[in-house]
Every structure is written in C-alpha cells, then in structure tokens.
Amino acid sequence: QSVCGWSRTAPQSYGVPPMALAIPDALRDMDDSEIADISEDENMAHDAIRLMRWPPHGKPVCPHCACDASYYLASRKRWKCKGCDHQFTVTSGTWMAGTKLRHSTLLIIIWSFAKGEVGTRAVDLQRMLGCEYKTAMVWLGKLRSSAVVSAPVSRDWKGYWQRGRVH
C-alpha cells in the first residue's frame, strides 16, 4: 500500500477518468489587456490553468490514482504522485494533454471561449492565433466537451492577477 491507500500492483485501468476544466466567471470579465499581461508570463499562465484544473485552491490531484499527495518537480514543471509515483502535468488528463502549445496560448483559447456569450467561433480563434481552421475547430470542440463555465474558486481572480503574484 502507498501513501494514498493505492496499491502499486493495481491494474492501470483503475485510474481516474479525465477531469473537467473549471472556468471561473472572473476570467470571463477580464479584458484584452489583462489577459495579455497574464499571457506574457508563462508562469502566470501555468498558475491560471492550475487553478482552473484543480479548484478551488489549485492543489494537484493525480489523474492516475486520484491521490492528492504529490510534490512538484520545478525543473520539469510537473508533479510526482507520492501514492503511485506517476508523473503528471497541469494538462494531464484534459483536452490539453499532449499538446505542444505554450500555457499562455492555451489560456488565450480558454479565455476566448469563456468571454463569448454564445461561445467562440473557430474562425475568430484562427485569426487570433494564426493557426489552421481545422486546428481551431479541434481545440474548441475539445474545450466545449470538457468545460464547466461557472466554477467556484478560492480567490478573487482579477485582483490576484493584477497584483502579479505567482505561487
């Protein structure tokens, strides 16, 4: 048995299904300049996605065994589960898993999706990011299938990012 009560010999199929991405209402209220400030700093974008991934406090949970005991490997920007030794990132188990896009680009995609009343059109995302239409359609489709648009978070997002704090 491990720290989280999960046996290392358990079959891989006992892993946790992919988790939804919780998009807070405060992200929708940010204007273009505020999101641009966050997107310029990759660490702030990483933190923003972490807070959306694991609300309300951003404490990582292993996507493999659901253990919340992990430690951060700063040099690799990933966590290692104390229960199953599985290494995971902020995008593991989400629609963003395996992408080579920067966190700042992913944050812009999420923000453009959250700010629209009806949603974001792929053509608008294509123009904003300079990518192919098909790529924009795939990203939006994945985001639509996994997003929880209104979610509780532990802090005032707008104030948090205006102060420029990174945890």
Side-chain angles (χ1 to χ4, degrees), residues 126-143:
Q126 175 191 11
R127 288 184 195 130
M128 188 180 346
L129 299 176
C131 64
E132 293 292 323
Y133 178 80
K134 185 176 179 180
T135 304
M137 278 296 294
V138 168
W139 288 338
L140 286 175
K142 289 179 178 184
L143 182 56

mmCIF file of all heavy atoms in Angstrom, residues 126-143:
data_model
loop_
_atom_site.group_PDB
_atom_site.id
_atom_site.type_symbol
_atom_site.label_atom_id
_atom_site.label_comp_id
_atom_site.label_asym_id
_atom_site.label_seq_id
_atom_site.Cartn_x
_atom_site.Cartn_y
_atom_site.Cartn_z
ATOM 1 N N GLN A 126 -8.921 31.188 -35.145
ATOM 2 C CA GLN A 126 -7.928 31.031 -36.208
ATOM 3 C C GLN A 126 -7.217 32.353 -36.467
ATOM 4 O O GLN A 126 -5.991 32.402 -36.563
ATOM 5 C CB GLN A 126 -8.615 30.546 -37.486
ATOM 6 C CG GLN A 126 -7.696 30.469 -38.686
ATOM 7 C CD GLN A 126 -8.459 30.247 -39.981
ATOM 8 O OE1 GLN A 126 -9.683 30.344 -40.026
ATOM 9 N NE2 GLN A 126 -7.731 29.941 -41.031
ATOM 10 N N ARG A 127 -7.973 33.434 -36.547
ATOM 11 C CA ARG A 127 -7.380 34.758 -36.778
ATOM 12 C C ARG A 127 -6.535 35.214 -35.591
ATOM 13 O O ARG A 127 -5.470 35.789 -35.761
ATOM 14 C CB ARG A 127 -8.480 35.783 -37.042
ATOM 15 C CG ARG A 127 -9.121 35.627 -38.382
ATOM 16 C CD ARG A 127 -10.135 36.725 -38.647
ATOM 17 N NE ARG A 127 -10.975 36.348 -39.761
ATOM 18 C CZ ARG A 127 -12.294 36.392 -39.758
ATOM 19 N NH1 ARG A 127 -12.941 36.811 -38.693
ATOM 20 N NH2 ARG A 127 -12.974 36.029 -40.816
ATOM 21 N N MET A 128 -7.029 34.955 -34.385
ATOM 22 C CA MET A 128 -6.340 35.408 -33.185
ATOM 23 C C MET A 128 -4.987 34.718 -33.016
ATOM 24 O O MET A 128 -3.999 35.356 -32.646
ATOM 25 C CB MET A 128 -7.214 35.141 -31.955
ATOM 26 C CG MET A 128 -6.678 35.743 -30.688
ATOM 27 S SD MET A 128 -7.671 35.460 -29.194
ATOM 28 C CE MET A 128 -9.218 34.872 -29.726
ATOM 29 N N LEU A 129 -4.933 33.418 -33.273
ATOM 30 C CA LEU A 129 -3.713 32.646 -33.027
ATOM 31 C C LEU A 129 -2.885 32.383 -34.278
ATOM 32 O O LEU A 129 -1.748 31.935 -34.184
ATOM 33 C CB LEU A 129 -4.068 31.304 -32.375
ATOM 34 C CG LEU A 129 -4.763 31.387 -31.024
ATOM 35 C CD1 LEU A 129 -5.135 30.007 -30.549
ATOM 36 C CD2 LEU A 129 -3.875 32.087 -30.015
ATOM 37 N N GLY A 130 -3.463 32.625 -35.444
ATOM 38 C CA GLY A 130 -2.735 32.382 -36.681
ATOM 39 C C GLY A 130 -2.536 30.903 -36.966
ATOM 40 O O GLY A 130 -1.486 30.492 -37.458
ATOM 41 N N CYS A 131 -3.534 30.103 -36.639
ATOM 42 C CA CYS A 131 -3.447 28.655 -36.874
ATOM 43 C C CYS A 131 -4.425 28.265 -37.981
ATOM 44 O O CYS A 131 -5.159 29.089 -38.495
ATOM 45 C CB CYS A 131 -3.761 27.895 -35.585
ATOM 46 S SG CYS A 131 -5.437 28.132 -34.984
ATOM 47 N N GLU A 132 -4.425 27.008 -38.331
ATOM 48 C CA GLU A 132 -5.349 26.491 -39.334
ATOM 49 C C GLU A 132 -6.770 26.425 -38.760
ATOM 50 O O GLU A 132 -6.954 26.224 -37.566
ATOM 51 C CB GLU A 132 -4.923 25.087 -39.775
ATOM 52 C CG GLU A 132 -3.620 25.053 -40.528
ATOM 53 C CD GLU A 132 -3.738 25.716 -41.893
ATOM 54 O OE1 GLU A 132 -4.789 25.589 -42.554
ATOM 55 O OE2 GLU A 132 -2.753 26.367 -42.284
ATOM 56 N N TYR A 133 -7.766 26.539 -39.638
ATOM 57 C CA TYR A 133 -9.164 26.478 -39.218
ATOM 58 C C TYR A 133 -9.479 25.131 -38.561
ATOM 59 O O TYR A 133 -10.135 25.075 -37.523
ATOM 60 C CB TYR A 133 -10.080 26.705 -40.422
ATOM 61 C CG TYR A 133 -11.543 26.606 -40.070
ATOM 62 C CD1 TYR A 133 -12.198 27.678 -39.471
ATOM 63 C CD2 TYR A 133 -12.259 25.440 -40.317
ATOM 64 C CE1 TYR A 133 -13.541 27.594 -39.139
ATOM 65 C CE2 TYR A 133 -13.602 25.345 -39.990
ATOM 66 C CZ TYR A 133 -14.226 26.428 -39.402
ATOM 67 O OH TYR A 133 -15.550 26.329 -39.065
ATOM 68 N N LYS A 134 -8.980 24.059 -39.139
ATOM 69 C CA LYS A 134 -9.241 22.727 -38.603
ATOM 70 C C LYS A 134 -8.679 22.581 -37.184
ATOM 71 O O LYS A 134 -9.303 21.981 -36.310
ATOM 72 C CB LYS A 134 -8.635 21.669 -39.520
ATOM 73 C CG LYS A 134 -8.951 20.256 -39.123
ATOM 74 C CD LYS A 134 -8.405 19.260 -40.133
ATOM 75 C CE LYS A 134 -8.713 17.849 -39.697
ATOM 76 N NZ LYS A 134 -8.206 16.861 -40.640
ATOM 77 N N THR A 135 -7.491 23.148 -36.944
ATOM 78 C CA THR A 135 -6.881 23.109 -35.622
ATOM 79 C C THR A 135 -7.745 23.854 -34.614
ATOM 80 O O THR A 135 -7.985 23.370 -33.505
ATOM 81 C CB THR A 135 -5.473 23.739 -35.672
ATOM 82 O OG1 THR A 135 -4.706 23.062 -36.653
ATOM 83 C CG2 THR A 135 -4.785 23.665 -34.327
ATOM 84 N N ALA A 136 -8.229 25.032 -34.995
ATOM 85 C CA ALA A 136 -9.094 25.818 -34.118
ATOM 86 C C ALA A 136 -10.386 25.063 -33.813
ATOM 87 O O ALA A 136 -10.865 25.076 -32.671
ATOM 88 C CB ALA A 136 -9.405 27.171 -34.752
ATOM 89 N N MET A 137 -10.943 24.389 -34.807
ATOM 90 C CA MET A 137 -12.163 23.604 -34.599
ATOM 91 C C MET A 137 -11.929 22.462 -33.609
ATOM 92 O O MET A 137 -12.750 22.209 -32.729
ATOM 93 C CB MET A 137 -12.653 23.009 -35.924
ATOM 94 C CG MET A 137 -13.456 23.959 -36.770
ATOM 95 S SD MET A 137 -14.995 24.450 -35.997
ATOM 96 C CE MET A 137 -15.883 22.927 -35.956
ATOM 97 N N VAL A 138 -10.806 21.788 -33.735
ATOM 98 C CA VAL A 138 -10.492 20.671 -32.840
ATOM 99 C C VAL A 138 -10.340 21.174 -31.404
ATOM 100 O O VAL A 138 -10.893 20.593 -30.470
ATOM 101 C CB VAL A 138 -9.217 19.929 -33.309
ATOM 102 C CG1 VAL A 138 -8.716 18.961 -32.252
ATOM 103 C CG2 VAL A 138 -9.483 19.198 -34.615
ATOM 104 N N TRP A 139 -9.583 22.268 -31.207
ATOM 105 C CA TRP A 139 -9.385 22.820 -29.864
ATOM 106 C C TRP A 139 -10.705 23.229 -29.233
ATOM 107 O O TRP A 139 -10.969 22.944 -28.078
ATOM 108 C CB TRP A 139 -8.446 24.006 -29.894
ATOM 109 C CG TRP A 139 -7.017 23.662 -30.156
ATOM 110 C CD1 TRP A 139 -6.405 22.455 -29.957
ATOM 111 C CD2 TRP A 139 -6.024 24.531 -30.657
ATOM 112 N NE1 TRP A 139 -5.083 22.536 -30.313
ATOM 113 C CE2 TRP A 139 -4.818 23.795 -30.744
ATOM 114 C CE3 TRP A 139 -6.024 25.854 -31.063
ATOM 115 C CZ2 TRP A 139 -3.636 24.352 -31.205
ATOM 116 C CZ3 TRP A 139 -4.845 26.405 -31.513
ATOM 117 C CH2 TRP A 139 -3.668 25.652 -31.582
ATOM 118 N N LEU A 140 -11.536 23.927 -30.006
ATOM 119 C CA LEU A 140 -12.823 24.372 -29.463
ATOM 120 C C LEU A 140 -13.741 23.190 -29.160
ATOM 121 O O LEU A 140 -14.454 23.205 -28.152
ATOM 122 C CB LEU A 140 -13.496 25.344 -30.424
ATOM 123 C CG LEU A 140 -12.874 26.731 -30.469
ATOM 124 C CD1 LEU A 140 -13.542 27.575 -31.549
ATOM 125 C CD2 LEU A 140 -12.978 27.426 -29.125
ATOM 126 N N GLY A 141 -13.735 22.190 -30.007
ATOM 127 C CA GLY A 141 -14.555 21.013 -29.744
ATOM 128 C C GLY A 141 -14.146 20.308 -28.463
ATOM 129 O O GLY A 141 -14.980 19.910 -27.649
ATOM 130 N N LYS A 142 -12.850 20.169 -28.261
ATOM 131 C CA LYS A 142 -12.362 19.539 -27.038
ATOM 132 C C LYS A 142 -12.692 20.392 -25.813
ATOM 133 O O LYS A 142 -13.071 19.865 -24.767
ATOM 134 C CB LYS A 142 -10.849 19.318 -27.124
ATOM 135 C CG LYS A 142 -10.462 18.230 -28.093
ATOM 136 C CD LYS A 142 -8.955 18.069 -28.156
ATOM 137 C CE LYS A 142 -8.564 16.941 -29.085
ATOM 138 N NZ LYS A 142 -7.108 16.724 -29.088
ATOM 139 N N LEU A 143 -12.526 21.694 -25.935
ATOM 140 C CA LEU A 143 -12.824 22.589 -24.819
ATOM 141 C C LEU A 143 -14.309 22.575 -24.485
ATOM 142 O O LEU A 143 -14.687 22.512 -23.314
ATOM 143 C CB LEU A 143 -12.366 24.012 -25.143
ATOM 144 C CG LEU A 143 -12.568 25.066 -24.066
ATOM 145 C CD1 LEU A 143 -11.884 24.650 -22.774
ATOM 146 C CD2 LEU A 143 -12.040 26.398 -24.523
#
